[in-house]
Amino acid sequence: MWLILATGSRLNKGDSVVKPAGQSASTAATVNPPSTAQTEGTLVGRILRGNLRSALAILLLQIIVIIIVARLFGAVFRRIGQPPVMGEMIAGIALGPSVLGLLSPGAMDFLFPSFSLPTLGVLSQIGVVLFMFVVGMELDIEHLREKASAAVMVSHASIIVPFLLGAAMALFLYQSLAPAGTSFVAFALFMGIAMSITAFPVLARILEDRGMSQSRLGSIALACAAIDDVSAWCLLAFVIAIAKSSDLVSSVATIAFTLLFICVMLFVIKPRLTPLIEKRVADRKRARGLLAGILAFVLASAWVTEGIGIHALFGGFLAGVVMPNVSGFRAFLKDQLEAFSSAALLPLFFVFTGLRTQITLLNDWFGWLTCLGIIIVAVTGKLGGSMLMARWTNMNWRDSFSIGVLMNTRGLVELVVLNIGYDLGILSGRIFVMMVIMALTTTFMTGPLLRLVSLRKTA
């Protein structure tokens, strides 16, 4: 080896050391002899800057920190009777400029340098696409048909009332909080949608933790939330089409393509998926590649909706809706995908949302009073509208109030919608913060209000 290196060194094309003109290497070493400390310091600095600060190293460090902090916050919130996803959302805020940025700006700049945010954002979006796929699979169409008579009126009331209140509130917020260049139509429609969201996955987990999933009240609440989810996402696709299109013709074309894609998925692809998956599930050798095929199908659906002009998340959601329930196949996919996406990818989304949430933007009384007003409107529209309609369908006041409390849960799905609005330029940073606080507050209210109802029932 020494012979090879010694012989090859003669083939060097030039001196690798850059010397000033008229100065030899020996002269330069004599004039500025490097000390051992300087050499070691330079070496350590070069390693840290070149290796540990590469794009991949930064991303790996971010994932490690995010997963650990999210798990810690989730465990704490579980102990206080809140769903762990609530703690993960708070963990995202804590790692952002609102907490970590105030306590240690240097640590935040080290963990989340500006050039790393696009990569983190894209990776978090993939996690949310998978999450929405699981949400779509959890929709039981047969269950909705059975509960339709009681659930349709309540779910539509829980959309219409907050939608109208949110759109009316836009009249007062548009001038001061809407970004420049955003039309009032897009802003008002989006505020209405944001007020109408119910977090179906979070609601399902709350009911499961409380043993209410199989009860009459829990079944009606799940059916209402499922219908609410489907309706709200269809309305959101319509609003996105309007916001992203420059003129009326483009909006109509985007809506037409969206409706065509929905029809193809429901009436062409869905009937053909059942026999195809049944054959592959029966054959163990072919079943091995089934998960890869499903992932490709989910991403292809997301790609199509992104290309149409609505968001990729809508494609992931619709891909889950058309999945057949063959021999527990949906449960298998949920176990395979939800564990990874919930543990590793969704916390990235929470932190990415937290990096956008700068609570310091609410630096005056007007900002905090406006935020309080948004929360009051959100609770009044969602909880109040659902409760009154449930009472109209001959439920007693206690059950009607419980339905309203459950439908007022916004959680993760609300954060997904708010990030879409932020990306589209419909929401400014200031109102984005207010809406995130509203989503966290209304989700946090669910557990205590349900406990209050239970205590009064037993009293």
Side-chain angles (χ1 to χ4, degrees), residues 97-121:
S98 300
V99 179
L100 182 61
L102 289 178
L103 298 178
S104 179
M108 181 178 168
D109 291 338
F110 180 80
L111 276 176
F112 303 106
S114 57
F115 67 84
S116 70
L117 298 185
T119 303
L120 185 65

Side-chain angles (χ1 to χ4, degrees), residues 84-137:
V85 68
M86 186 72 188
E88 294 175 359
M89 289 189 289
I90 297 295
I93 304 294
L95 288 174
S98 300
V99 179
L100 182 61
L102 289 178
L103 298 178
S104 179
M108 181 178 168
D109 291 338
F110 180 80
L111 276 176
F112 303 106
S114 57
F115 67 84
S116 70
L117 298 185
T119 303
L120 185 65
V122 170
L123 192 58
S124 69
Q125 290 297 315
I126 294 175
V128 180
V129 167
L130 295 178
F131 167 76
M132 293 308 300
F133 173 69
V134 174
V135 172
M137 285 197 303

Side-chain angles (χ1 to χ4, degrees), residues 35-70:
S35 65
T36 303
Q38 289 175 338
T39 303
E40 291 178 353
T42 303
L43 178 61
V44 172
R46 187 167 64 250
I47 291 175
L48 292 176
R49 288 191 300 269
N51 295 335
L52 296 182
R53 299 307 291 167
S54 67
L56 178 59
I58 291 173
L59 180 61
L60 293 174
L61 179 62
Q62 289 172 344
I63 294 175
I64 293 169
V65 172
I66 290 171
I67 290 176
I68 293 174
V69 174

